[in-house]
């Protein structure tokens, strides 16, 4: 019941974005599991490039708004919707607003020598998602969608 109240407390635009984010998160999760990484790589942007670090204030407002809806939608998916799914969702919605982003991929090893991976996304100087864990990872890739925005 609480989940329904949370959903209904959103405005109509946020509800529609929530539904789209929910569905797209399943699509991205499916792609991560069953499709070659080169498919996702092409979705993320141009490798070894970065978007501008300076954007106008409206981009930050949009990024924060989109982040809250994406995090809320990912919280309620029955499948795992972790860092890369979140980054791809944020990028999808910001691209629609013609706002360039950079997705970063990082790796580390835990105490048992297991490899871990993490993804985070930057808009301007703001890390939109993945900001709390990123410092524990060594960046190994970046993908900017700046040249793909039309």
């Amino acid at each position: 019941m609480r989940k329904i109240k949370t959903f209904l407390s959103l405005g109509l635009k946020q509800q529609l974005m929530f539904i789209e984010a929910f569905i797209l998160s399943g699509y991205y999760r499916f792609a991560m599991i069953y499709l070659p990484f080169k498919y996702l790589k092409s979705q993320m942007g141009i490798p070894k490039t970065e978007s501008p670090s300076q954007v106008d204030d409206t981009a930050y407002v949009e990024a924060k708004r989109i982040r809250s809806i994406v995090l809320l939608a990912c919280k309620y998916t029955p499948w795992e919707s972790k860092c890369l799914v979140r980054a791809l969702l944020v990028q999808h919605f910001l691209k629609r607003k013609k706002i360039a982003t950079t997705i970063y991929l990082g790796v580390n090893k835990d105490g048992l020598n297991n490899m871990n991976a993490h993804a985070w996304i930057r808009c301007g100087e703001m890390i939109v998602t993945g900001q709390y864990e990123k410092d524990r990872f060594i960046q190994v890739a970046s993908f900017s969608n700046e040249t793909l925005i039309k």
Side-chain angles (χ1 to χ4, degrees), residues 10-30:
L10 301 171
L12 181 60
K13 282 185 178 180
Q14 285 87 6
Q15 288 175 350
L16 294 173
M17 185 183 278
F18 176 95
I19 292 167
E20 185 178 359
F22 188 91
I23 293 167
L24 271 176
S25 70
Y27 166 77
Y28 286 134
R29 182 66 181 157
F30 175 87

Side-chain angles (χ1 to χ4, degrees), residues 105-139:
L105 302 179
V107 296
N108 75 5
K109 286 191 175 183
D110 63 16
L112 300 173
N113 215 25
N114 295 319
M115 184 73 76
N116 297 304
H118 184 55
W120 60 97
I121 185 167
R122 179 182 60 78
C123 173
E125 294 180 353
M126 175 184 163
I127 304 298
V128 185
T129 64
Q131 65 271 31
Y132 300 115
E133 298 88 4
K134 80 174 189 66
D135 292 334
R136 296 191 341 245
F137 292 83
I138 297 169
Q139 179 190 321

Side-chain angles (χ1 to χ4, degrees), residues 1-22 69 72-73 76:
M1 191 66 166
R2 191 183 92 231
K3 294 176 186 179
I4 294 171
K5 284 184 180 180
T6 301
F7 179 76
L8 293 175
S9 70
L10 301 171
L12 181 60
K13 282 185 178 180
Q14 285 87 6
Q15 288 175 350
L16 294 173
M17 185 183 278
F18 176 95
I19 292 167
E20 185 178 359
F22 188 91
I69 295 296
L72 185 64
Y76 293 112

